[in-house]
Amino acid sequence: MHEEEDGAEPGPGAAPRIPAARSLDLADVDGAKDQASKLCGYLNKLSGKGPLRGYKPRWFVYDPRKCYLYYFKSPQDALPLGHIEIGDACFCYDVEGEEGQFEIRTAGKEFLLKAPNRQVMHYWLQQLQQKRWEYSNTRGQRDSWSSPTLCHPLTGLVGKDNGGQFLSHPHTHMCMHIQTLRTSQCDRPLVHRAAPAPDLSGASEQAQDSVINQGELAQLETLLEERDGQIQSLCGHMERLSLEKESLQQELKGLKIKVGEMNDQLGMLMETIQAKDEVIIKLSQQSLEQSGNPNETNLLPPNKEQQELDTLKDSLQGYKSQNKFLNKEILELTVLRRNAEIREKALEAKYTALEAKLCQVESKYLVLLQEVKMPVCSSSEQSPTREVISRLLEDALQAEGPDQQEHLIFKPNSVSEYDVYGFKTVPEEEEEEERLVAKVRALELKSLSLTNQEVSVGVKWENFLASTMNRDFVRSPELKALIRCGVPHEHRSLVWRWCVSFHVKKFRDHLAPDYYETLLNVAREKPNPAAKQIELDLLRTLPNNKHYASPSAGGIQKLRNVLMAFSWRNPDIGYCQGLNRLAAIALLYLDQEDAFWSLIAIVEVFMPRDYYTKTLLGSQVDQRVFKDLMSEKLPRLHAHFEQYKVDFSLITFNWFLVVFVDSVVSDILFKIWDAFLYEGPKIIFRFALALFKYKEEDFLKLQDSTAIFKYLRYFTSTILDSRKLMSIAFVDMNPFPMRQIQNRRSFHLEKVRLELTELEAIRQTFLRERETSQDGRSFVSDDEEDN
């Protein structure tokens, strides 16, 4: 018999105890039934080797997220001795064995446990069977690396969405698009370009100036044929995978139903055996009593009584045999189900890889269409080819709206209208070329999100959360490293809420629990000088996010409440443009009160004083600190900007003020905010430097101040690979001590204050001179002039 040894190092999925849980003895069965969600209690576990082998009391706790039964030495222990996997376990007990003893077989291991009595044993077995069944029913309803249920559900505005984006499926229309494009242009000379340039407008201008010849047409047709073959092959493969996945799901469903029926039968048989045991015990007691009293008249003849006992024994033996058979059958079915799930997971991984590849192919297809459009359309304004390409572009730029969710398989679009955060993926009001760039960017982002690296990060977070179940987080190198990798969407509300609570604890401990509500009541009853500006900025906060796009959107009233409450808490600041964007981002994952406290954490804890006041003194200081860091960390780029007299602080000032909101793509923005809420303002400096480092070579190629400044305005939106950017920020930029930033802040603060004092003195002198000159003037009336 193989089992885990007590005292062994807990595995990666280990979970701590559940506090305030009660031991499960005979008197507590009814109480434990009321705590079905916290199945826990004492059981004796067989452990040890040789002469030390024996039953030892252990505290058992069931974890519904992984379907594990953890065991501890005592309820007060933080780390478990080990765990038993219940999801694929088989349970059995011997009727003639010790009372309360039962066995759990799972993952090639056997665990012998003993309850205080038979009643408690039956309760544990019934509960574990029920938990196993509930867990098996949830397996097909989640991603392969996600929890079956969220112990901490999403809050904030994104939590009210349906939660998750649909995985888009292959689009067979693309094959027809390319075929149509190729056949309709067979007699048209086109310009072929070896690779699409980053600037689509520049590629179009070069295409118009290129020489059109038949050789280039042949190259383009060859390229289109290759793309056609690739996409047809992918579409066919995806169809086969979808059909195979559906078949496996049906097979798995049938196996689960059969296992459920077997469990029901087994439960009824256990009850029957128990009833038979009671009858046998009762009859045995009667027989002993009658044999001890020979003068008493027997109710039944001895032969008949013996026959009935033999019959009951035979029935009992039959039930025992049937019980063993059913246990074996359930074990075999569990193995079959596990194998089917392994195949399903392998297909899901293969499907995800193919979908990522399909997104890459589609993005290249869109760029190719844009390149082809100009030379073809310039040859004839009314040509049929122009109509075909325009129609293809229009169809390709359509986003997947909510009314298109009915048929998810084989759709011509793989980009939703809104991303998971509520931001619009392809703006409708933009020109066609800008919409095309947005669509290509969305496809590339989706392709990056489907990589194995993102999946592994999700698995690491699952293991970490399992080890901290029902305990508050503690700042540690492990948690810091995890947050720097990015927090998964489904856990971000929990992590942000903890980060904010940690930073503002010193404030909240001295305030009433209803402090936020009190501020809201004051805001409703009294006029506020900041109210007018707040109202003007509400709809201008994040107009491309559906939660703030209209006056009736769900986030507008919440944003108004948070900003008004903050203005009453900080009358010196009141309201500053920029605070609205900080609060709006926080509200996407936090409720109103937590978003209010996140604003306090940023303004009163993270940032220096006067960062959001009228003078913006702290913001000006940070720009000078950042220039020093640029000259130190990126000397070539800093010298390049100095040579062409480019003041990059005109762009970076807003990065610091609103923590990159509206400056980077949403996937990168929220990963920056994950680290920012944990580590503080140092993260802004790290990522500001990383963004420039990411595109340093592109900047160095530009030899004109106008071109450099133009690229400065939009270069951050071309950065899509968050993994590469985070590696630059947290590896290439090291060492990065906060003490260095604080010292430079102190140095530049004095200089900026002195400059502001001098400017104020000049302003006052100017005002006095103007008043004096106005007082010395004499104004002559028309009547006086006539006289």
Side-chain angles (χ1 to χ4, degrees), residues 28 64 66 125 168 242 248 255 278 289 291 331 373-374 476 510 557 625 631 657 662 674 683 764:
D28 262 349
K66 289 185 173 291
L125 288 172
S168 304
S242 297
L248 284 173
L255 288 173
E278 293 174 356
E289 290 173 357
S291 62
L331 187 60
K373 180 183 177 183
M374 285 302 178
S476 64
H510 303 290
Q557 182 58 43
V625 174
S631 63
L657 198 65
D662 277 346
D674 293 337
I683 293 300
Q764 293 295 336

Side-chain angles (χ1 to χ4, degrees), residues 164-323:
Q165 299 181 11
F166 294 96
L167 285 179
S168 304
H169 295 269
H171 17 122
T172 54
H173 291 70
M174 191 188 299
C175 305
M176 293 186 291
H177 286 174
I178 295 183
Q179 183 67 25
T180 305
L181 176 65
R182 183 154 39 84
T183 55
S184 64
Q185 299 184 69
C186 58
D187 297 325
R188 296 266 178 196
L190 302 177
V191 174
H192 168 67
R193 311 195 67 80
D199 189 345
L200 295 179
S201 61
S204 300
E205 292 171 3
Q206 293 175 7
Q208 287 179 340
D209 297 334
S210 300
V211 179
I212 301 174
N213 54 56
Q214 292 296 329
E216 291 172 338
L217 173 61
Q219 291 179 2
L220 181 59
E221 287 183 344
T222 302
L223 180 61
L224 288 173
E225 287 176 358
E226 291 175 0
R227 289 284 185 270
D228 191 3
Q230 273 187 328
I231 295 173
Q232 285 180 347
S233 174
L234 283 172
C235 291
H237 204 133
M238 298 285 271
E239 285 187 45
R240 290 193 296 274
L241 284 176
S242 297
L243 294 174
E244 188 175 351
K245 180 180 177 182
E246 185 178 353
S247 173
L248 284 173
Q249 287 177 337
Q250 292 295 331
E251 179 184 350
L252 185 61
K253 185 178 179 182
L255 288 173
K256 288 178 179 178
I257 293 173
K258 194 171 182 181
V259 170
E261 294 174 352
M262 290 293 184
N263 283 336
D264 294 339
Q265 292 179 12
L266 184 59
M268 291 188 293
L269 287 173
M270 285 181 175
E271 294 176 0
T272 304
I273 291 172
Q274 185 179 356
K276 296 293 184 182
D277 285 346
E278 293 174 356
V279 171
I280 291 172
I281 293 171
K282 186 176 180 181
L283 289 174
S284 298
Q285 290 175 349
Q286 289 179 358
S287 177
L288 289 172
E289 290 173 357
Q290 290 171 2
S291 62
N293 298 292
N295 296 328
E296 186 175 338
T297 306
N298 292 333
L299 298 176
L300 294 173
N303 293 337
K304 191 172 182 180
E305 184 177 339
Q306 186 62 39
Q307 289 176 358
E308 186 173 350
L309 279 174
D310 292 340
T311 302
L312 288 173
K313 287 180 180 179
D314 292 341
S315 299
L316 177 61
Q317 188 63 37
Y319 282 126
K320 287 169 65 177
S321 300
Q322 189 177 20
N323 187 24

